[in-house]
Amino acid sequence: MSSLVKKSILLTKLIKHANCGTKRLSSHFTYFPDNEKPVEGDTTRMNMMQAINNAMDLTLKNDPTAVVFGEDVAFGGVFRCALGLQEKYGKDRVFNTPLCEQGIAGFGIGLATAGATAIAEIQFADYIFPAFDQLVNEAAKARYRSGGQYACGGLTVRAPGGAVGHGGLYHSQSPEGLFAHVPGLRVVVPRGPIAAKGLLLSCIREKDPCIFLEPKILYRSATEDVPVEDYTLPLGRAQVLREGDAVTLVAWGTQIHVLLEVAQMAEEKLGVRCEVIDLQSILPWDEETVCNSVKKTGRCLIAHEAPLTSGFGAEIAATVQEECFLHLEAPISRVAGWDSPFPHVFEPFYLPGVPRCYHELQRLLDY
């Protein structure tokens, strides 16, 4: 065999090995399903997309004023959350809108102030920014500026957010911190199917307009036995998913599964138990549950996908510092996305995954 052929074969093997070694996985977490059911009764296996669809189905069935609208929702939407709803309830109640987020929000505000139940879908949370003026200056202020004479509490804006594994800078952002600065809105992020159905039904029935941010990577990767009947979960209340006394770990959405894995590793490798709290509601957020936990553990780690600077973790850290200062055994820690546009090929290095969070946990314990 000639030297040239040998070199060619070797080069082919090297390229194949390099390609295998750099293959990017579609997720950076292990999913931890909920085992506790919020209500008794029959359940059915659903992923998060199906649970959201089920919540909207129940709303359209029981509320004749309810409508679902947004870009491409007539055929189910790009993530299929509205699949089959137009066929079931007709084109007057489930319909497409023009490619105009400001118009979608403005139309929803008009419907809600007129007394209808409006469920608007923004195709990606990254494109909700053109609607920012409508949501911040109109929806959030309607009840206040009218002295309670009218409101648009019948408005729920759904938007897929967060990292998905290949979204890049225009399809991976987490804008919850931006909306958390707006009095009059409620901002909610579910962690899985059971939570998504109960929280979405609560948002739809809430008297204040709600921003419901759905971690898009969980649509199909998160599967649970979801109660068939109608149920709601309280807004503004966090949930303790794992009890412990070493460190309080706080997150929401996809990131809660990262911290559950970190807590599991800490127990196996370090022999310590961490308390894991899913905030669920960003605005308002459950200060009492978080602060009571930190007073018990003396340490707090907050993780979110959004950039570090002015991320919602900063608000939690400030409150914990004020309320729990004399109980703290170490500085409050935040693990978040970097202060840069969301990258594409370097997404695994951008996300606050298990290695980064576990390393920070070790630092807190060693302080």
Side-chain angles (χ1 to χ4, degrees), residues 132-159:
F132 205 70
D133 175 58
Q134 288 287 334
L135 296 171
V136 172
N137 280 332
E138 304 299 336
K141 296 176 174 62
R143 184 153 57 90
Y144 177 83
R145 71 176 184 175
S146 69
Q149 294 182 63
Y150 63 90
C152 60
L155 173 64
T156 300
V157 179
R158 296 178 39 251

Side-chain angles (χ1 to χ4, degrees), residues 87-111:
E87 290 84 347
K88 194 170 184 179
Y89 297 101
K91 296 180 179 180
D92 291 337
R93 301 187 65 196
V94 182
F95 50 87
N96 289 336
T97 64
L99 190 69
C100 177
E101 286 78 15
Q102 185 177 22
I104 293 170
F107 181 65
I109 292 167
L111 284 172

Side-chain angles (χ1 to χ4, degrees), residues 105-122:
F107 181 65
I109 292 167
L111 284 172
T113 53
T117 298
I119 306 172
E121 178 181 304
I122 303 295

Side-chain angles (χ1 to χ4, degrees), residues 28-98:
H28 61 286
F29 64 96
T30 299
Y31 183 72
F32 287 77
D34 283 355
N35 294 316
E36 295 184 9
K37 305 300 181 291
V39 292
E40 297 296 328
D42 295 336
T43 63
T44 187
R45 198 75 173 161
M46 297 184 193
N47 60 30
M48 199 174 81
M49 178 273 288
Q50 293 167 323
I52 290 167
N53 179 280
N54 184 231
M56 292 192 290
D57 189 1
L58 288 170
T59 300
L60 290 164
K61 177 182 177 181
N62 298 322
D63 181 354
T65 74
V67 291
V68 174
F69 55 94
E71 298 159 6
D72 299 321
V73 300
F75 74 85
V78 293
F79 292 104
R80 320 305 283 162
C81 289
L83 187 66
L85 295 181
Q86 187 182 79
E87 290 84 347
K88 194 170 184 179
Y89 297 101
K91 296 180 179 180
D92 291 337
R93 301 187 65 196
V94 182
F95 50 87
N96 289 336
T97 64

Side-chain angles (χ1 to χ4, degrees), residues 225-343:
D225 293 320
V226 181
V228 174
E229 67 177 86
D230 190 308
Y231 65 92
T232 58
L233 295 176
L235 302 179
R237 189 180 301 174
Q239 188 173 354
V240 178
L241 301 180
R242 182 186 178 105
E243 294 186 353
D245 56 11
V247 182
T248 297
L249 308 180
V250 183
W252 49 91
T254 306
Q255 198 63 30
I256 199 68
H257 302 289
V258 172
L259 293 190
L260 283 168
E261 187 171 351
V262 168
Q264 187 178 70
M265 288 173 61
E267 184 170 10
E268 293 171 354
K269 296 183 178 182
L270 306 175
V272 299
R273 287 191 59 82
C274 299
E275 188 141 295
V276 182
I277 298 176
D278 180 7
L279 217 54
Q280 298 191 121
S281 289
I282 304 302
L283 185 67
W285 68 283
D286 190 347
E287 299 178 19
E288 182 179 4
T289 296
V290 173
C291 289
N292 284 343
S293 176
V294 175
K295 289 175 183 178
K296 177 177 63 173
T297 66
R299 292 174 172 83
C300 181
L301 186 153
I302 307 153
H304 56 73
E305 291 184 12
L308 180 72
T309 300
S310 298
F312 192 68
E315 175 63 29
I316 301 171
T319 300
V320 170
Q321 193 275 340
E322 290 176 358
E323 299 295 327
C324 310
F325 181 72
L326 296 178
H327 299 268
L328 290 173
E329 301 291 341
I332 301 159
S333 179
R334 291 178 292 153
V335 186
W338 305 111
D339 290 339
S340 73
F342 201 104

